[in-house]
Amino acid sequence: MATRATVGEVESTPPERDSATDVHRRNGYEHRYTGEGPKGRLLSGSMSEYGADPIRSMERWRDEHSDFVPIRFGPFRAHVAFGPAEIEEVLVDRAADFRKSFGTRMLIPLLGHGLLTAEGDEWLRHRRLASPAFHRERVMGYGRTMARYAEDRVETWSDGQTVDLHQEMTALTLRIVARTLFDADVTSRIEEGARLGTEIQDFYYLRFASLRFLVPTWLPTPGNRRRGRATRRLDDVVYRIIRERRPGEDRGDLLSMLLLARDDHGAGMSERQVRDEVMTLLLAGHETTALALTWAFLLLDRNPKARDRLQAELGAVLGDEPASPEDVSALPYTQAIVNETLRLYPPAYVTGREAVRDTTIRGVHIPKGHIVLISTYATHRDPRFFSEPGAFHPERWLDGLEKHLPRAAFIPFGLGSRKCIGASFAMMETTILLATVARRWRFELAPAELAIQPSITLRPAAAMPGRMRSVA
């Protein structure tokens, strides 16, 4: 179930607008709504089409139908939101009418009731307890750790060395998450945890992308038993690290902040709550950054003019010095590359909400229990907001584009109160690591067509071998 894509080239022009579409202009762009969607099959609806290729199916639904498309997955009816106005209404204006969808709630056995999956007062309490760990001063401190570890990593490479790009970026971000999350070199244990987490996430995605989600997870099928064993082993890894920490000890890491956090009543997190937040930060904290760097270096390899401009900026700003958190604001083109990479390959390419009461989205009735999927990938590649939407053009971000876009046209970390709490952390990490690596090295990759593996995140579907080339 891989999507074929040619990296950094312009995609074909979308189909002509349907003349029957209800077209009007609001908020500076052309809104479209037909009330029609894909016909689907008699029993499975659009599930088989989506499961075979979620990326292309969502782009097709966007182009052939409208900004808010009704679909059916087996017995369940849903809508897919492509328009920024619809997305903003779901995530901001009517956020109280929705909770995380079934697809996210399936991850509770893995992630527990952490920030990603908790709801209501439970989520609000967790958010308040975790927020101090992501204050600006703390993030700047993490940034110095990121820079040091990145510099250590690039020292191990040699010109002409054969590497796997995705594996190298994963190894780097795992070491950083081990230090910033636990202030300890527990990389070997974290590597096992990351592998188990990926295995479990793929299990849940394959359930969601087919009618297998109708099979209860408590049923002792071979797949359910494997998932159970992997979850128990992952729990063992995380709990052992937590229990090794002395009470009241502040090492300046994220785990310390979680253990020391207190609410207005002086109560802290239970061990289970700390486990849930650590699990979320561990699995999300390394993979999203590793993937952003992987896609960025692939795009730079395919676009030598952008690579040359990046290296010119790094040479002018950094010289022979390593990158630091204080340098980030002086690296606009580096940040533009990060934004353009996140536009083309957003960490969460699709997310979902479930209505907890009857509501409406732009006048369309949404009954209680109805699912609304938000296709970040398709919205980020909408030609109404981005010229040459399939092309890699970092310079589009240098003239304040983000300020002129509709609010929900570019949301790599979500929107509203449930926006990723670690967005600033992730942006700083990706920028510092990109600058540190690109200042001295480029990846020379095979010119083969790229296959994308849509799972919980967008991953390369196969190994990404290449050679290291020194730029010093």
Side-chain angles (χ1 to χ4, degrees):
M1 187 173 58
T3 294
R4 310 301 298 187
T6 303
V7 176
E9 293 188 3
V10 181
E11 294 174 331
S12 59
T13 303
E16 293 292 327
R17 310 276 194 238
D18 188 336
S19 60
T21 300
D22 174 22
V23 176
H24 55 288
R25 294 186 176 275
R26 294 181 189 166
N27 300 330
Y29 75 93
E30 180 184 86
H31 296 253
R32 304 177 302 137
Y33 181 70
T34 65
E36 297 179 355
K39 299 301 181 184
R41 296 181 179 179
L42 178 63
L43 295 179
S44 63
S46 298
M47 178 62 79
S48 57
E49 180 185 1
Y50 178 85
D53 194 339
I55 294 299
R56 293 295 168 250
S57 62
M58 286 200 167
E59 287 190 310
R60 187 162 50 250
W61 298 343
R62 178 200 66 194
D63 294 341
E64 293 179 356
H65 300 291
S66 65
D67 289 338
F68 201 51
V69 179
I71 60 170
R72 180 172 61 85
F73 282 170
F76 301 102
R77 297 190 178 276
H79 275 78
V80 186
F82 299 109
E86 289 78 8
I87 294 171
E88 184 174 356
E89 193 160 352
V90 172
L91 297 182
V92 181
D93 301 338
R94 298 186 185 274
D97 292 342
F98 293 90
R99 65 173 178 170
K100 291 295 183 79
S101 68
F102 174 71
T104 301
R105 298 201 307 276
M106 283 197 304
L107 296 173
I108 288 176
L110 170 63
L111 300 178
H113 293 274
L115 283 172
L116 181 65
T117 54
E119 299 285 352
D121 291 342
E122 180 185 35
W123 169 81
L124 184 60
R125 179 176 183 271
H126 285 206
R127 179 89 178 194
R128 288 171 175 167
L129 286 169
S131 289
F134 294 94
H135 285 172
R136 186 178 184 277
E137 293 76 14
R138 284 275 179 171
V139 172
M140 293 291 281
Y142 305 145
R144 285 180 270 279
T145 299
M146 297 167 190
R148 185 173 71 253
Y149 273 74
E151 196 69 21
D152 289 347
R153 188 72 183 183
V154 301
E155 291 286 350
T156 67
W157 295 331
S158 59
D159 194 42
Q161 177 184 350
T162 300
V163 299
D164 182 280
L165 172 58
H166 186 213
Q167 287 182 3
E168 283 295 318
M169 295 303 100
T170 298
L172 173 57
T173 57
L174 277 173
R175 283 202 71 200
I176 289 171
V177 80
R179 181 60 66 176
T180 56
L181 186 53
F182 302 118
D183 189 40
D185 191 1
V186 291
T187 306
S188 60
R189 282 188 277 175
I190 294 298
E191 286 174 346
E192 181 186 11
R195 178 185 59 77
L196 291 166
T198 298
E199 178 184 323
I200 298 166
Q201 289 180 71
D202 286 346
F203 165 83
Y204 283 113
Y205 175 77
L206 292 172
R207 278 177 54 81
F208 177 74
S210 72
L211 292 178
R212 276 181 280 182
F213 72 87
L214 296 173
V215 179
T217 54
W218 51 260
L219 202 66
T221 64
N224 284 343
R225 288 198 296 269
R226 284 193 299 272
R227 188 269 308 167
R229 287 193 297 270
T231 302
R232 289 189 293 274
R233 176 58 190 148
L234 184 54
D235 272 345
D236 181 60
V237 170
V238 171
Y239 274 125
R240 282 176 57 201
I241 294 173
I242 293 171
R243 290 166 182 165
E244 288 169 1
R245 186 62 57 94
R246 290 193 299 271
E249 182 182 15
D250 184 359
R251 297 186 186 176
D253 59 355
L254 288 164
L255 179 57
S256 295
M257 294 297 291
L258 295 174
L259 290 169
L260 294 171
R262 294 294 181 269
D263 62 18
D264 295 339
H265 303 289
M269 293 186 183
S270 67
E271 185 180 63
R272 174 68 194 196
Q273 289 170 335
V274 172
R275 173 264 181 213
D276 293 349
E277 301 303 349
V278 166
M279 195 74 76
T280 301
L281 294 171
L282 168 61
L283 298 180
H286 88 277
E287 185 180 35
T288 53
T289 303
L291 287 171
L293 290 167
T294 298
W295 298 127
F297 282 113
L298 178 66
L299 290 162
L300 289 168
D301 180 65
R302 300 292 195 263
N303 294 271
K305 288 184 179 179
R307 186 180 66 228
D308 291 345
R309 184 169 178 178
L310 169 65
Q311 288 168 354
E313 177 179 86
L314 297 177
V317 175
L318 302 179
D320 294 329
E321 298 298 318
S324 71
E326 291 76 17
D327 294 319
V328 169
S329 62
L331 298 171
Y333 194 70
T334 310
Q335 293 182 74
I337 288 172
V338 174
N339 272 340
E340 185 70 343
T341 302
L342 294 174
R343 182 186 72 81
L344 290 168
Y345 300 101
Y349 67 97
V350 63
T351 187
R353 295 291 188 270
E354 179 184 317
V356 297
R357 60 181 65 89
D358 287 1
T359 188
T360 60
I361 297 298
R362 292 190 62 79
V364 179
H365 177 64
I366 304 296
K368 179 180 179 180
H370 198 78
I371 299 296
V372 177
L373 297 176
I374 294 165
S375 179
T376 312
Y377 183 96
T379 302
H380 281 191
R381 292 172 178 246
D382 192 318
R384 291 175 295 176
F385 315 120
F386 304 99
S387 60
E388 296 185 307
F392 179 66
H393 291 319
E395 58 273 11
R396 73 171 87 234
W397 299 98
L398 297 177
D399 296 324
L401 170 65
E402 196 166 357
K403 296 179 181 177
H404 303 293
L405 288 171
R407 186 179 179 190
F410 178 64
I411 51 169
F413 299 103
L415 184 68
S417 61
R418 300 300 296 257
K419 182 178 178 179
C420 175
I421 194 172
S424 296
F425 180 103
M427 283 298 296
M428 173 174 286
E429 180 179 21
T430 308
T431 304
I432 288 175
L433 299 190
L434 177 64
T436 301
V437 174
R439 182 175 68 90
R440 295 178 54 184
W441 298 97
R442 66 180 178 87
F443 292 88
E444 187 178 85
L445 302 167
E449 186 180 16
L450 170 70
I452 304 171
Q453 178 66 52
S455 182
I456 301 296
T457 53
L458 287 179
R459 302 194 203 116
M464 298 180 70
R467 293 187 182 276
M468 304 300 305
R469 296 300 182 193
S470 174
V471 297

